[in-house]
């Protein structure tokens, strides 16, 4: 459980970090909280010559609450998501979901940017961001661009982010009053990835539904969302069950996961509806 | 305060002796991060060893190429079986009479098996070098199922080919290790044939792992000038390790010093001898430098001693009224690639023959077949005496299965079958003499404490609500009455590698009336330094706070067989009391001399000897201690010390009644413990706070085992649960509150009546949790379902019972 040797970089701004990525190409990886990357390095399943630590980059920090939009710096920790009063008021779903991630010690260090950028289907934030229809801002050698969370995930650990790009900020439209939100997650124990998790927003004639760890990417379903917007809970669940593709692992076989997925989704819907205006 | 003004009770309280909830003296250093564990040991010039391990569960090792590793700067050596073979150290004896490869000798038999040992200047270089050792494997067919292994043509242990006799009698097949039979087969089968009712069930107790927080490790330091080897390590039995090292290395035993420093939990995982210990010793001898080896978490889970993995086929016979008439059990025991089970020599299935439990079962038969498979070796007593948790789980499941068959309440079925208080000492059908017990009293107290009838009424109401569609949660009431067998053990039938399982204590009283005691055991968290000082305090009247306790250094501690199987208090605790009594006997003579009366004219009074009939004339133990060193007393040697080697006349039989109330969500398989009540009878109670702590810890491990913890393999023999992400180790989050309670039935043969408690909560806890799951589904037709009861397996029960529509 000792990683292979690597060069450690600690740039002070985004431009320098991109410069290091450009210089070393495939050999370099950025590291945020490190909770996904470091275990892989210790197992020697991930080996890279250059590790670019983003901790010292001030531009990547901070939570901004605007009247219509919330912006999260990529290096905002899960702990900050939980303890930021303005964020909890604007998007209560963020806090509810962040509290379900790992344990307090992990959340002090784990970041929202790392969680969404790594492309691990087990992470909670990607599905949540798809539910919230968030936008990810990327910076690279050719400048900045935005990618919708719903377009970001291609396969497990494969995303729309280019190797030399860094995910810098996340923008989320504030759902507005009248929209009920809920996050339901079943896990085996504290610190575990979801057996199944559901993020739901519903209200004002709209709905958005996404699920976590039930395919090699998070699953947001337009069909399920539309069904729910129209008040058709069974149709929503049915559409979502068609969309997910869970695989068997230590948490259980496919049949079980599909069943739990439907239970989590129904519970999230019930709770979100009860919170809707 | 003037000593003479204190009442005897006040003086006794000042001693903090037996019965006192004295705070743990060990915690001062542990809570400040000042413990001294194996990995804290740093010696000048120390090198580090690390293993190349097999990725395959069964493969031939075609070649090992060390060149690239040796070329890495800082790499000192790469050892393989070829290097160890001239020393005869490429194999080592196991505790079970088998032998085990230290480094792969031509083939590997389980994933994670040690293939080569890299020695380097630091652990980072060693880890890099491990990656550079090129091993060529040729994969062989993998056997992970013991029943398949007994039918398969695939020979796992080619080294044993043609050997039809094993360490425990005939071998029936090339993958068979032993058959062990106890009880009367014919009589039991006759009872089964004639019985009103026979319940039959396969009870599987899955493979799991003790998973101590500190993994295993060692530091070997060979001093080539003095010829003396010092070996620090995570050893639950340091003296036995010294003898084993001497026997397999050829080093004289007086030239070996084994030290167990602070140990971060053992739970049986640190009883056996591991390749890492041997390799660190060899590497130190070869290099002349100290060599440290410390495994990581994955190595610990995948390659060091597992626990359980017993397939127990059971039949239980009873009258229509529920009186049990016979018990039959055939166990298929999966021992992995080598038989490295840690049991007393004559007990290849440990004390599995305690499987008649707390019940008066007149006729019984047990057979156990040990089997080789492509899994890690082990089979240790994970927080229980040897195979006792398996036995308790078996009988406590069979009782429930019988209750279903008889359509009886399981609490009542237990009550009518308990051994009665007046039957002790009780001879069990499978050969044990239970020393003492009062099961009915404990049972009634437990049922009353939880309001058992009220719980059943709650459950009945819940079932109605469930059937009416008002809830999706069931309520399970898990009952257990267990009987442990601990304190191995009488030398006449208990030995490990020929070493009788006595234990020892040496006490030296200092002139000013304080003391040091040394024991042959070794604490791994049990709090020996706290509790054994309390025994001495009560026996000789010196305050526990003035008594230092040392264990674990074979150069200073008297020989003993170590700490596992809840044997420390039953055996070393007895030795402690006996050594203290020798001191008190001499103190009596000194006191009589000082008081100028005959020896028989003084009597013991808490912390002093007083003249009979004249209590104002006395000598305190402190005064006597000083006199022992500064007065020439006719007929007595100076000094005040004693040593006792205690060979217990019998085992001790702690028991208890545990009740678990559990809520179960039939849709998700999630569960929540609503209540857990644990009544323990461990005989005389030395420190109630430590007993509570032991119960909390043991029940938490039981919770883990019953509800999710396992070492699972896929068909290729890959370990699926090799990290703490998948191997369930409960945190505070998953751990419920426990209510503890007790009765006291002292052991009649133990000097202070104590029986041991550390392992009872695991023995009783596992069936209590499992029975709660089963009980929740019993009204809907469930009879038996295998542990661990994780979410999906619970869901599977509900699904199988048609609860998902």
């Amino acid at each position: 459980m000792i990683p292979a040797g690597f060069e450690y970089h600690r740039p002070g701004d985004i431009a320098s970090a991109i410069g290091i990525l450009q210089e070393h190409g495939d050999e370099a990886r950025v590291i945020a909280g490190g909770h996904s990357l470091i275990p892989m390095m210790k197992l020697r399943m991930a080996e890279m010559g250059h590790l670019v630590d983003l901790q010292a980059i001030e531009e990547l920090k901070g939570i901004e609450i605007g009247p219509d939009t919330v912006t999260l710096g990529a290096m905002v920790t899960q702990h900050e998501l939980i303890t930021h009063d303005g964020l909890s008021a604007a998007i209560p779903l963020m806090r509810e979901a962040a509290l379900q991630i790992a344990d307090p010690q992990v959340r002090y260090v784990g970041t929202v940017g790392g969680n969404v950028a790594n492309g691990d289907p087990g992470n909670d934030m990607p599905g949540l961001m798809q539910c919230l229809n968030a936008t990810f801002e990327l910076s690279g050698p050719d400048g900045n661009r935005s990618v919708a969370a719903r377009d970001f995930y291609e396969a497990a650990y494969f995303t729309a982010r280019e190797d030399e790009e860094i995910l810098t900020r996340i923008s989320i439209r504030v759902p507005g009053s009248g929209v009920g939100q809920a996050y339901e997650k079943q896990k085996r124990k504290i610190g575990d990835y979801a057996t199944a998790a559901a993020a739901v927003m519903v209200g004002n004639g709209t709905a958005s539904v996404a699920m976590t760890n039930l395919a090699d990417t998070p699953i947001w379903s337009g069909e399920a969302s539309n069904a729910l917007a129209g008040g058709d809970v069974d149709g929503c669940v049915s559409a979502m069950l068609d969309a997910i593709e869970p695989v068997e692992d230590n948490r259980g076989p496919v049949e079980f996961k599909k069943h739990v997925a439907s239970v989590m989704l129904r519970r999230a819907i019930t709770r979100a509806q009860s919170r809707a205006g | 305060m003037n000593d003479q003004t204190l009442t005897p009770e006040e003086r006794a309280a000042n001693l903090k002796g037996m019965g006192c909830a004295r705070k743990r003296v060990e915690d001062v250093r542990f809570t400040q991060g000042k413990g001294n564990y194996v990995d804290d040991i740093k010696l000048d010039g120390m090198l580090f060893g690390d293993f190349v391990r097999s990725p395959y569960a069964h493969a031939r090792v075609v070649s090992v190429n060390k060149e690239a590793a040796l070329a890495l700067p800082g790499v000192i050596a790469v050892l393989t079986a070829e290097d160890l073979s001239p020393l005869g150290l490429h194999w080592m004896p196991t505790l079970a009479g088998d032998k085990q490869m230290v480094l792969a000798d031509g083939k590997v038999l389980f994933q994670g098996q040690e293939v080569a040992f890299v020695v380097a200047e630091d652990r980072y270089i060693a880890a890099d070098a491990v990656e550079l050792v090129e091993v060529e494997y040729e994969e062989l067919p993998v056997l992970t199922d013991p029943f398949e292994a007994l039918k398969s043509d695939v020979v796992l242990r080619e080294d044993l080919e043609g050997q039809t006799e094993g360490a425990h009698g005939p071998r029936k097949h090339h993958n068979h290790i032993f058959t062990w039979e106890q009880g009367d087969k014919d009589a039991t089968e006759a009872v089964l044939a004639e019985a009103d009712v026979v319940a039959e069930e396969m009870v599987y107790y899955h493979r799991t792992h003790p998973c101590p927080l500190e993994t295993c490790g060692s530091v070997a330091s060979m001093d080539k000038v003095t010829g003396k080897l010092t070996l620090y390590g995570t050893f639950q039995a340091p003296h036995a390790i010294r003898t084993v090292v001497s026997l397999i290395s050829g080093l004289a035993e007086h030239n070996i010093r084994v030290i167990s420093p602070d140990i971060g939990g053992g739970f049986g995982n640190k009883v056996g001898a591991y390749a890492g210990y041997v390799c660190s010793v060899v590497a130190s001898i070869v290099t002349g430098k100290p060599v440290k080896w410390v495994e990581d978490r994955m190595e610990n889970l995948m390659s060091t001693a597992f626990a359980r993995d017993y397939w127990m086929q059971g039949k239980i016979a009873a009258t229509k009224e529920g009186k049990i008439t016979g018990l039959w059990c055939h166990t298929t025991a999966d021992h992995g690639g080598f038989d490295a089970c840690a049991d007393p020599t004559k007990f290849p299935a440990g004390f599995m023959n305690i499987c008649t439990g707390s019940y008066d079962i007149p006729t019984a038969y047990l057979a156990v077949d040990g089997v080789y498979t492509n899994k890690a070796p082990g089979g240790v007593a994970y927080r229980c005496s040897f195979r006792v948790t398996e036995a308790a789980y078996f009988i406590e499941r069979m009782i429930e299965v019988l209750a279903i068959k008889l359509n009886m309440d399981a609490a009542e079925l237990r009550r009518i079958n308990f051994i009665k208080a007046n039957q002790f000492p009780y001879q069990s059908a499978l050969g044990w003499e239970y020393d003492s017990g009062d099961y009915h009293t404990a049972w009634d107290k437990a049922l009353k404490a939880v309001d058992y009838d009220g719980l059943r009424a709650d459950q009945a109401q819940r079932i109605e609500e469930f059937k009416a569609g008002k809830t999706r949660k069931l309520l399970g009431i898990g009952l257990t009455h267990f009987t442990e067998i601990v304190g191995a053990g009488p030398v006449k039938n208990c030995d490990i590698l020929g070493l009788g399982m006595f234990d020892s204590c040496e006490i030296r009283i200092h002139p000013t009336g304080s003391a040091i005691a040394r024991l042959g055991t070794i604490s791994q968290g049990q709090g020996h330094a706290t509790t054994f000082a309390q025994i001495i305090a009560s026996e000789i009247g010196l305050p526990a706070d003035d008594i230092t306790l040392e264990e674990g250094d074979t150069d200073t501690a008297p020989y003993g067989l170590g700490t596992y199987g809840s044997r420390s208090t039953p055996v070393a605790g007895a030795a402690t009391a006996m050594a203290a009594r020798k001191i008190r006997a001499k103190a009596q003579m000194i006191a009589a001399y000082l008081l100028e009366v005959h020896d028989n004219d003084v009597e013991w009074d808490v912390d002093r000897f007083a003249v009979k009939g004249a209590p104002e004339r006395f000598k305190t133990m402190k005064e006597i201690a000083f006199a022992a060193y500064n007065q020439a007393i006719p007929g007595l040697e100076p000094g005040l010390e004693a040593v006792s080697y205690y060979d217990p006349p019998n085992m001790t039989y702690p028991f208890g009644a545990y009740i678990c109330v559990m809520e179960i969500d039939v849709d998700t398989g999630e569960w929540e413990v609503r209540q857990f009540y644990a009544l323990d009878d461990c005989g005389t109670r030395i420190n109630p706070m430590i007993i509570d702590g032991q119960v909390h810890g043991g029940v938490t491990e039981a919770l883990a085992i019953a509800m999710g913890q396992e070492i699972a393999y896929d068909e290729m023999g890959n370990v699926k649960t090799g990290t703490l992400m998948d191997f369930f180790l409960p945190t505070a989050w998953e751990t419920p509150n426990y209510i503890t309670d007790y009765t006291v039935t002292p052991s009649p043969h133990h000097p202070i009546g104590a029986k041991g408690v550390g392992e009872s909560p695991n023995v009783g806890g596992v069936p209590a949790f499992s029975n709660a799951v089963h009980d929740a589904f019993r009204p809907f037709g469930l009879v038996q379902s295998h542990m661990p009861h994780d979410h999906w397996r619970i869901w599977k029960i509900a699904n199988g019972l048609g609860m998902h529509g």
Side-chain angles (χ1 to χ4, degrees):
Chain A
M1 295 294 277
I2 295 175
F6 54 86
E7 289 293 321
Y8 176 78
H9 303 268
R10 196 179 175 91
D13 54 57
I14 293 171
S16 311
I18 293 169
I20 298 166
L21 292 179
Q22 279 185 285
E23 187 182 342
H24 298 291
D26 281 358
E27 285 285 288
R29 280 281 297 272
V30 298
I31 183 166
H35 284 296
S36 299
L37 187 55
I38 290 175
M40 288 301 112
M41 290 169 64
K42 286 184 168 181
L43 292 167
R44 298 196 177 214
M45 292 167 77
E47 287 196 32
M48 68 280 309
H50 298 268
L51 204 57
V52 186
D53 191 343
L54 305 180
Q55 295 285 349
I57 303 178
E58 284 302 317
E59 304 161 74
L60 295 176
K61 296 181 180 169
I63 298 173
E64 290 161 34
I65 312 291
D68 302 319
T69 306
V70 165
T71 311
L72 308 172
M75 291 301 284
V76 167
T77 64
Q78 317 291 354
H79 177 73
E80 289 173 272
L81 296 180
I82 291 164
T83 52
H84 194 284
D85 291 340
L87 180 63
S88 296
I91 314 177
L93 189 57
M94 291 292 299
R95 181 171 190 275
E96 188 168 301
L99 277 168
Q100 293 277 354
I101 296 175
D103 56 62
Q105 285 167 301
V106 169
R107 297 196 294 253
Y108 286 128
V109 180
T111 66
V112 64
N115 195 299
V116 299
N118 195 40
D120 183 339
N123 284 349
D124 290 278
M125 286 290 162
L128 186 78
M129 293 301 170
Q130 293 195 337
C131 175
L132 291 165
N133 199 15
T135 303
F136 300 155
E137 292 170 26
L138 304 170
S139 293
D142 303 328
N144 300 334
R145 65 184 180 117
S146 296
V147 179
R150 291 175 189 170
D151 298 330
F152 188 71
Y153 298 96
E154 296 167 354
Y157 306 103
F158 286 92
T159 66
R161 187 185 61 83
E162 299 294 332
D163 284 351
E164 291 170 4
E165 285 183 317
I166 294 171
L167 190 150
T168 56
R169 302 198 83 72
I170 299 165
S171 306
I172 307 164
R173 277 186 64 81
V174 176
S177 62
V179 176
Q181 310 167 20
Y183 194 73
E184 280 283 341
K185 177 179 180 179
Q186 180 168 343
K187 54 188 175 184
R188 296 171 298 177
K189 58 180 180 178
I190 196 86
D192 197 14
Y193 295 118
T195 302
V200 172
M201 288 202 301
V202 63
N204 301 340
T206 66
S208 178
V209 177
M211 298 202 76
T212 288
N213 214 18
L214 294 161
D216 67 347
T217 64
I219 297 292
W220 178 82
S221 163
E223 195 186 338
S225 301
N226 288 340
L228 183 59
D232 178 6
V233 173
D234 288 340
C236 170
V237 172
S238 167
M240 187 52 98
L241 288 181
D242 284 344
I244 59 175
E245 291 177 88
V247 292
E248 176 167 352
D249 61 15
N250 284 340
R251 292 173 186 83
V254 171
E255 190 191 7
F256 164 68
K257 287 188 170 185
K258 285 202 161 183
H259 191 259
V260 168
S262 71
V263 175
M264 291 300 113
L265 183 53
R266 283 180 189 278
R267 286 181 185 175
I269 290 169
T270 303
R271 221 146 40 85
Q273 284 175 332
S274 76
R275 291 165 175 173
Chain B
M1 209 183 299
N2 187 328
D3 195 31
Q4 294 180 51
T5 66
L6 297 179
T7 66
E9 291 74 23
E10 287 167 334
R11 285 187 279 126
N14 286 345
L15 297 177
K16 298 188 190 170
M18 288 197 291
C20 170
R22 183 185 184 219
K23 286 197 174 166
R24 284 163 44 100
V25 297
E26 297 90 339
D27 290 347
V28 176
R29 67 178 189 278
F30 291 149
T31 55
Q32 296 183 45
K34 297 288 167 63
N36 184 40
Y37 299 91
V38 167
D39 209 6
D40 293 321
I41 291 165
K42 295 179 179 68
L43 302 177
D44 281 348
M46 188 166 73
L47 305 174
F48 290 80
D50 200 348
F51 279 112
V52 176
R53 293 178 181 275
S54 169
Y56 300 109
H58 194 199
R60 222 166 279 295
V61 177
V62 179
S63 65
V64 181
N65 185 345
K66 314 173 180 178
E67 273 178 40
L70 286 170
L72 187 70
V75 173
I76 309 295
V78 178
L79 302 176
T80 61
E82 249 174 54
D83 303 304
L84 300 188
S85 143
L87 307 167
L89 291 174
H90 55 319
W91 288 73
M92 62 180 174
T94 71
L95 297 179
D98 194 1
K99 57 180 182 163
Q100 174 177 358
M101 290 178 210
V102 173
L103 292 172
D105 184 18
K107 72 185 292 195
V108 288
L109 287 161
F110 63 94
Q111 188 183 51
Q113 188 177 333
E114 300 83 357
V115 175
F117 190 66
V118 172
V119 184
E121 285 170 2
D122 67 42
R123 61 193 357 152
Y124 307 98
I125 297 171
D128 287 344
V130 163
E131 300 289 309
L132 296 173
V133 176
E134 295 160 15
V135 186
E136 190 187 336
Y137 298 95
E138 180 188 313
E139 288 183 70
L140 295 168
V142 173
L143 297 173
T144 58
D145 178 327
F147 299 98
E148 290 299 317
L150 283 180
K151 289 183 278 184
S152 173
D153 294 337
V154 176
V155 180
L156 300 181
R157 291 290 299 275
E158 288 159 351
D159 59 295
L160 300 178
E161 221 164 358
Q163 289 187 25
T164 52
E165 271 302 298
H168 308 286
R171 297 174 67 220
K172 296 188 288 204
H173 180 269
H174 51 251
N175 296 326
H176 179 252
I177 310 172
F178 64 83
T179 300
W180 189 60
E181 288 182 282
Q182 297 288 300
D184 190 330
K185 185 179 185 202
D186 293 342
T188 305
E189 285 174 355
V191 167
L192 289 168
E194 292 161 14
D196 294 349
V197 177
V198 175
E200 179 168 3
E201 205 57 59
M202 171 66 91
V203 179
Y204 178 49
Y205 197 146
H206 60 290
R207 177 176 281 234
T208 182
H209 192 282
C211 194
L213 284 187
E214 180 206 26
T215 60
C216 298
S218 58
V219 179
S221 179
M222 182 74 198
D223 185 327
K224 290 203 165 173
V225 176
T226 62
K228 188 148 181 153
L229 171 72
T230 306
L231 177 60
Y232 304 84
T234 45
F235 307 133
Q236 288 183 237
H239 285 94
I241 289 284
R242 185 185 71 189
T243 302
V244 170
V245 170
S246 176
L247 290 173
I248 69 174
S249 72
L251 293 172
E253 198 166 356
H254 70 280
N255 277 334
I256 303 169
R257 179 183 185 188
V258 173
I259 299 174
S260 292
D262 283 328
I263 296 184
F267 313 116
N269 185 240
K270 293 167 179 169
V271 172
Y274 293 125
Y277 303 160
V278 178
C279 287
S280 67
V281 169
V282 173
S284 182
I285 293 171
V286 169
T287 62
K289 293 185 173 174
V291 176
K292 177 186 279 187
W293 163 75
V294 176
E295 65 185 3
D296 66 33
R297 176 65 54 200
M298 291 176 72
E299 291 178 297
N300 178 257
L301 285 172
M302 126 195 294
S303 73
T304 62
F306 76 94
R308 326 301 191 221
D309 217 346
Y310 261 30
W311 293 90
M312 301 174 284
Q313 183 72 36
K315 297 176 198 171
I316 189 164
T319 65
K320 289 192 296 288
E321 295 73 30
K323 184 75 191 76
I324 301 169
T325 52
L327 180 71
W328 181 97
C329 177
H330 180 269
T331 294
T332 302
D334 185 341
H335 283 231
F338 306 94
D339 186 12
C341 214
D343 291 314
T345 305
K346 297 186 187 77
F347 297 87
F351 304 154
M352 176 67 192
N353 54 333
I354 194 73
C355 65
T356 52
S358 306
Y359 311 102
D360 183 13
I361 302 177
T363 312
Y365 169 71
L366 165 71
V368 181
D369 279 303
V371 184
Y372 291 123
T373 60
N374 288 120
K375 300 183 190 170
V380 293
Y382 170 10
R383 203 166 183 145
C384 67
S385 194
F386 313 100
R387 299 294 188 183
V388 173
T389 297
E390 289 91 326
Y393 185 64
F394 170 74
I395 184 65
E396 289 303 298
R397 282 301 312 141
M398 291 308 294
I399 290 284
E400 295 281 323
V401 169
L402 179 62
I404 292 168
K405 189 108 181 174
L406 290 163
N407 196 23
M408 266 183 87
D409 175 76
E412 182 58 19
L413 179 60
R414 284 179 173 85
R415 187 201 310 274
I416 62 175
N417 283 290
F418 283 143
I419 300 162
K420 296 180 185 69
N422 63 13
Q423 287 178 280
F424 292 93
Y426 172 81
Q427 299 291 335
S428 81
L430 292 176
W432 296 114
E433 182 183 300
Y434 292 28
D435 60 348
S436 65
D438 184 351
Y439 301 162
H440 286 93
T441 299
W443 194 238
D444 290 343
K445 187 174 184 179
L447 296 182
K448 192 172 170 209
V450 300
D451 181 19
Y452 180 67
D453 293 338
L455 284 175
R456 286 290 177 206
D458 282 357
Q459 188 186 37
Q461 189 186 340
R462 181 69 67 89
I463 292 163
E464 290 311 310
E465 287 167 6
F466 181 83
K467 286 178 176 169
K470 291 179 190 163
T471 180
R472 297 294 289 165
K473 284 188 179 176
L474 299 176
L475 191 65
I477 302 162
L479 304 174
T480 291
H481 191 288
F482 64 92
T483 296
E484 261 252 269
I485 171 169
V486 304
V491 172
K492 64 176 187 283
N493 58 5
C494 287
D495 71 273
I496 284 185
L497 292 176
L499 303 165
M501 294 180 74
F502 59 84
D503 227 290
S504 58
C505 176
E506 175 202 88
I507 304 171
R508 295 182 188 176
I509 311 295
H510 304 316
T512 53
S514 61
I516 183 166
R518 295 189 172 104
L519 290 91
T521 44
I522 174 72
S523 183
Q524 307 124 37
Q526 291 89 343
H528 291 175
T530 306
T531 50
F532 289 144
Q534 291 180 256
I535 296 175
I536 299 169
S538 286
E539 290 289 340
I540 64 172
L542 292 175
D545 289 345
D546 294 348
I547 300 164
T548 295
L549 198 120
E550 278 187 8
E551 299 173 302
D553 183 341
T554 58
D555 265 12
T556 57
Y559 204 100
L561 268 285
T563 295
Y564 42 87
S566 274
R567 65 185 300 278
S568 296
T569 294
V571 191
T576 304
M578 299 306 274
R581 285 172 194 181
K582 289 182 186 178
I583 285 174
R584 200 165 86 188
K586 182 170 178 183
Q588 181 170 2
M589 292 189 268
I590 297 171
Y593 171 80
L594 297 174
L595 292 164
E596 299 179 328
V597 295
H598 190 273
D599 290 354
N600 294 333
D601 291 335
V602 293
E603 62 186 355
W604 180 245
D605 174 23
V606 182
D607 57 354
R608 63 191 58 177
F609 278 104
V611 175
K612 284 179 184 167
E616 71 287 358
R617 291 187 60 210
F618 63 85
K619 289 289 172 189
T620 65
M621 207 50 203
K622 254 181 148 48
E623 294 170 315
I624 294 166
F626 199 65
Y629 287 92
N630 79 348
Q631 296 222 9
I633 301 172
L636 284 182
E637 290 179 1
L640 193 55
E641 57 183 73
V643 60
S644 171
Y645 284 79
Y646 188 80
D647 177 11
N650 190 4
M651 310 283 185
T652 61
Y653 297 77
F655 61 93
Y658 287 8
I659 297 169
C660 172
V661 184
M662 192 183 280
E663 302 265 358
I664 289 173
D665 184 324
V666 300
D667 289 323
T668 61
E670 291 171 303
W671 47 269
E672 186 183 359
V673 176
R674 188 171 99 180
Q675 184 181 356
F676 196 100
Y677 170 89
L679 180 150
D680 275 283
D681 192 320
C682 57
T684 303
R685 292 158 61 85
I686 298 167
N687 182 325
M689 182 198 71
I690 284 190
I691 291 171
D692 272 352
Q694 288 274 27
V695 173
H696 291 174
V699 178
T700 303
E701 285 180 319
L703 169 93
I705 294 167
M707 305 312 293
Q709 185 180 84
E710 64 175 325
I711 295 290
Y713 290 82
D714 69 13
E715 286 175 359
M716 300 299 292
N718 298 307
V719 179
K720 291 162 66 183
T721 52
T723 78
L724 296 186
M725 182 59 98
D726 288 311
F727 183 87
F728 177 36
L729 200 64
T731 68
W733 185 264
E734 291 87 12
T735 304
N737 282 315
Y738 305 120
I739 302 158
T740 58
D741 203 348
Y742 62 95
T743 55
V744 177
T745 312
S747 169
H749 62 78
H750 188 280
I752 58 170
K755 289 186 166 185
V757 75
E759 304 177 326
S760 294
N762 198 315
V763 173
V766 172
F769 289 112
S770 181
N771 283 348
V773 174
H774 284 92
D775 185 70
F777 290 101
R778 175 180 165 174
F780 302 91
L782 177 69
V783 177
Q784 175 65 16
S785 184
H786 297 320
M787 292 190 294
H789 305 298
D790 56 6
H791 293 166
W792 94 260
R793 288 182 176 97
I794 291 179
W795 177 88
K796 197 170 80 172
I797 296 171
N799 197 258
L801 295 172
M803 289 178 168
H804 298 144

